[in-house]
């Protein structure tokens, strides 16, 4: 641990940033996000456009209860990398931590537009659609996932739950929910 106490600081700006990044990564992986933030901040000051640094710094800030700063870091990253779906996922998670459901949804929708065939990202969007009171869109997106990934059980379970319990009777469909639940039982039994 003493070898990590003082990072090597001679050399180029890139070398110094990498050293701080490595120290921050190691501390974060060892479950010390509070100790990881200072070296990650130092790395970020040296190389603010390095996507690895800004994502780790934002995560560390978020985990240590500084979501406002984490969100600012991620938003600066989005300016540099407007086509990076992982940054939009990070932005969505942090916006949700800041209790901004609408912004969280907007960020995850952008991520889905960049990786439309990734069912995990679409599933995150479905959960945010529900939080934002958009059950019909959530249902449509569950069906989109199941159309290409019929064994994506989380989507099937969620769709079944929406169809069986939604308070709006124009959305609720017990028959469709029952059919889906029966199919789920077959899939899991034959697995």
């Amino acid at each position: 641990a003493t070898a990590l106490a003082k990072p090597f600081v001679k050399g180029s700006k890139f070398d110094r940033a990498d050293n701080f990044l490595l120290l921050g990564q190691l501390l974060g992986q060892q479950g010390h996000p509070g100790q990881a933030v200072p070296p990650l901040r130092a790395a970020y000051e040296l190389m603010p456009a390095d996507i690895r640094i800004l994502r780790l710094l934002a995560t560390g800030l978020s985990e240590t209860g500084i979501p406002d700063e984490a969100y600012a870091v991620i938003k600066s990253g989005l300016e540099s990398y407007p086509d990076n779906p992982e940054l939009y996922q990070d932005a969505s998670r942090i916006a949700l931590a800041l209790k901004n459901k609408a912004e969280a949804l907007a960020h995850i929708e952008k991520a889905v537009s960049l990786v439309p065939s990734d069912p995990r990202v679409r599933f995150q969007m479905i959960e945010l659609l529900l939080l934002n009171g958009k059950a019909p869109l959530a249902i449509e997106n569950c069906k989109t996932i199941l159309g290409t990934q019929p064994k994506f059980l989380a989507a099937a379970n969620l769709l079944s739950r929406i169809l069986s319990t939604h308070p709006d009777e124009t959305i609720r469909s017990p028959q469709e929910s029952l059919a889906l639940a029966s199919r789920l039982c077959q899939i899991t039994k034959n697995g």
Side-chain angles (χ1 to χ4, degrees), residues 17-18 21 40 43-44 47 50-58:
D18 270 350
L21 171 63
L40 291 171
Y44 183 68
M47 306 237 337
D50 186 306
I51 195 163
R52 302 164 306 156
I53 294 169
L54 63 89
R55 286 192 72 207
L56 280 171
L57 176 58

Side-chain angles (χ1 to χ4, degrees), residues 12-180:
S12 73
K13 175 171 78 165
F14 304 105
D15 290 338
R16 291 194 325 266
D18 270 350
N19 290 329
F20 284 123
L21 171 63
L22 177 60
L23 178 58
Q25 277 180 308
L26 291 171
L27 288 165
Q29 288 167 357
Q30 292 173 1
H32 305 290
Q35 293 173 27
V37 167
L40 291 171
R41 270 198 179 114
Y44 183 68
E45 285 172 22
L46 290 164
M47 306 237 337
D50 186 306
I51 195 163
R52 302 164 306 156
I53 294 169
L54 63 89
R55 286 192 72 207
L56 280 171
L57 176 58
T59 298
L61 290 166
S62 185
E63 288 176 357
T64 54
I66 315 171
D68 291 332
E69 190 180 343
Y71 200 43
V73 168
I74 282 297
K75 286 178 97 172
S76 78
L78 288 172
E79 290 171 18
S80 300
Y81 302 98
D83 295 325
N84 185 294
E86 288 89 5
L87 281 177
Y88 286 102
Q89 287 178 274
D90 292 348
S92 177
R93 181 179 39 76
I94 295 166
L96 195 56
L98 289 166
K99 308 224 182 313
N100 192 329
K101 297 184 296 191
E103 259 183 69
L105 177 58
H107 288 306
I108 203 69
E109 285 175 333
K110 180 66 177 172
V112 168
S113 75
L114 293 167
V115 286
S117 61
D118 187 328
R120 294 160 306 163
V121 179
R122 188 173 296 274
F123 189 74
Q124 291 171 333
M125 182 180 72
I126 291 165
E127 292 174 318
L128 285 166
L129 285 166
L130 290 172
L131 270 177
N132 279 279
K134 299 182 179 202
L137 272 174
I139 290 169
E140 183 183 313
N141 279 279
C142 281
K143 291 178 179 179
T144 298
I145 289 175
L146 294 171
T148 57
Q149 306 270 332
K151 292 189 177 186
F152 196 105
L153 298 182
N157 281 325
L158 184 56
L159 177 57
S160 180
R161 196 165 67 240
I162 296 166
L163 293 172
S164 65
T165 63
H166 200 278
D168 184 338
E169 64 186 40
T170 63
I171 292 170
R172 198 170 53 245
S173 176
Q175 296 83 4
E176 191 177 354
S177 176
L178 183 60
L180 188 58

